[in-house]
């Protein structure tokens, strides 16, 4: 499946996205690479063309900009060769909720959440009609950890996780595979503004992507490379499902009844 088809990867200039580009090129896939930094994209593309012989097309775009996002959406709608979308571009904003500006946080939501929604929405009808296609969404373990001190970033990543699981339910029966990938701290430029002495232990980006692709090959819906004990996520999922089972009661729970 997907053997001879092209992969569009967002955030392919550095870090996890650049490794995805390299790994998919080595698997023989043609590439369409999206990011803002055209020099880095060109550098990556030249190396991958030379080393792997695949065709690499560049689509420079700032995904927080409506008109540039529209160009990427159009490519996904119209380019029948693309059968895999990797929604990887993402970032964070320094500071705390009290010091971060509303404008920066709105841009963060545009990049980490809205662009994932819009690009998935652009490509899904073509994939569903064809009965095949894959969407890989890079979320984060912070989707599961709202108390870890990065409120809006965590919320965007929870959006990506929930969207991925819901789309897998919706589009899976139509032949479309949706994977959410949840990295923990991974050595990339996303940490460049954090003081060396405050950096957590990191996974290498190459190890993260190789593990994520092992999950992709197994058609896992949620892949968490740093989680060694898989049973913990399975227990979490079954607890979550048990909360919502039979929740459609028409009367409030006893504990909310007032005596008045
Ligand atoms: N590294 C970690 O510890 C970690 C942990 C969990 C999840 N993640 C997630 O992994 C994904 C990749 O991040 P990374 O760690 O590889 O960081 P990174 O090296 O900083 O890469 C981020 C990528 O996103 C692109 N990007 C940033 N803003 C953009 C914009 N406005 N429009 C288009 N592209 C934009 C960047 O390219 P340009 O600057 O050229 O635009 C770059 O290619 C992100 O979604 C991140 O949230 C990372």
């Amino acid at each position: 499946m997907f053997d001879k088809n092209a992969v569009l990867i967002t955030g392919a200039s550095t870090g996890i996205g650049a490794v995805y580009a390299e790994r998919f090129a080595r698997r023989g896939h043609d590439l369409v690479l999206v990011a803002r930094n055209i020099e880095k994209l060109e550098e990556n593309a030249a190396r991958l063309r030379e080393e792997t012989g695949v065709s690499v097309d560049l689509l420079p775009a700032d995904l927080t900009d409506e008109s540039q996002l529209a160009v990427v959406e159009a490519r996904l709608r119209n380019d029948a060769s693309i059968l895999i979308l990797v929604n990887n571009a993402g970032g964070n904003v320094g500071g705390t909720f009290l010091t971060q500006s509303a404008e920066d946080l709105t841009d963060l939501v545009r990049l980490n959440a809205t662009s994932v929604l819009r690009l998935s929405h652009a490509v899904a009808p073509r994939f569903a009609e064809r009965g095949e296609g894959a969407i890989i969404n890079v979320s984060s373990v912070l989707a599961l950890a709202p108390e870890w001190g990065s409120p809006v970033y965590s919320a965007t990543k929870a959006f990506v996780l929930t969207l991925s699981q819901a789309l897998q339910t919706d589009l899976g029966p139509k032949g479309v595979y949706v994977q959410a990938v949840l990295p923990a701290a991974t050595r990339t430029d996303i940490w460049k503004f954090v003081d060396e002495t405050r950096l957590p232990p990191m996974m290498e980006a190459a190890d993260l992507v190789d593990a994520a692709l092992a999950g992709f090959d197994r058609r896992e819906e949620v892949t968490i490379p740093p989680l060694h004990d898989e049973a913990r996520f399975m227990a979490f999922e079954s607890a979550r499902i048990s909360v919502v089972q039979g929740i459609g009661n028409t009367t409030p729970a006893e504990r909310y009844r007032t005596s008045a």
Side-chain angles (χ1 to χ4, degrees):
M1 201 183 179
F2 314 130
D3 275 358
K4 297 286 174 216
N5 290 289
V7 185
L8 186 144
I9 303 169
T10 69
S13 57
T14 59
I16 292 167
V19 179
Y20 263 116
E22 198 259 343
R23 296 306 199 251
F24 273 120
R26 292 203 186 284
R27 288 176 174 216
H29 292 270
D30 292 336
L31 302 173
V32 181
L33 305 183
V34 178
R36 293 166 304 178
N37 188 325
I38 180 76
E39 287 81 20
K40 277 192 182 159
L41 287 179
E42 273 168 354
E43 215 176 280
N44 295 349
R47 185 172 40 80
L48 293 177
R49 285 183 197 116
E50 189 182 318
E51 289 176 4
T52 67
V54 301
S55 133
V56 185
D57 206 2
L58 305 185
L59 199 51
D62 181 340
L63 296 173
T64 66
D65 179 280
E66 185 60 36
S67 60
Q68 296 180 50
L69 177 63
V71 172
V72 185
E73 289 178 301
R75 180 68 180 261
L76 287 166
R77 278 195 199 100
N78 301 325
D79 185 342
S81 75
I82 298 172
L83 267 198
I84 302 177
L85 163 65
V86 184
N87 279 311
N88 161 78
N92 203 351
V93 174
T96 68
F97 192 67
L98 295 179
T99 61
Q100 293 162 331
S101 75
E103 195 186 3
D104 285 349
L105 291 175
T106 304
D107 270 349
L108 184 64
V109 172
R110 281 200 184 102
L111 176 62
N112 287 7
T114 307
S115 80
V116 176
L117 156 70
R118 292 278 295 273
L119 299 184
S120 302
H121 192 259
V123 86
R126 188 167 59 74
F127 285 0
E129 192 179 335
R130 187 174 163 138
E132 64 173 336
I135 302 173
I136 299 173
N137 290 329
V138 180
S139 172
S140 165
V141 294
L142 286 183
L144 306 174
E147 52 287 287
W148 281 8
S150 208
V152 180
Y153 180 85
S154 297
T156 63
K157 293 301 180 178
F159 174 90
V160 172
L161 173 60
T162 298
L163 181 72
S164 304
Q165 290 178 295
L167 289 185
Q168 179 58 41
T169 305
D170 202 26
L171 303 175
K174 298 180 170 65
V176 184
Y177 165 51
V178 184
Q179 180 195 27
V181 175
L182 277 61
T186 306
R187 197 180 315 282
T188 70
D189 287 356
I190 211 170
W191 294 95
K192 69 184 168 199
F193 300 113
V194 178
D195 191 277
E196 274 287 314
T197 58
R198 300 187 58 210
L199 289 177
M202 303 265 190
M203 186 177 288
E204 297 303 324
D207 291 337
L208 182 275
V209 174
D210 286 339
L213 286 171
F216 177 85
D217 292 338
R218 275 182 224 143
R219 299 293 180 261
E220 270 187 5
E221 294 181 12
V222 179
T223 298
I224 313 179
L227 181 68
H228 286 205
D229 183 1
E230 188 185 17
R232 282 156 58 183
F233 184 68
M234 290 160 83
F236 171 79
E237 280 291 272
S238 63
R240 180 181 65 72
I241 289 161
S242 80
V243 170
V244 290
Q245 253 165 12
I247 207 166
N249 295 309
T250 54
T251 54
E254 185 65 34
R255 66 188 176 283
Y256 300 122
R257 299 236 174 103
T258 55
S259 47

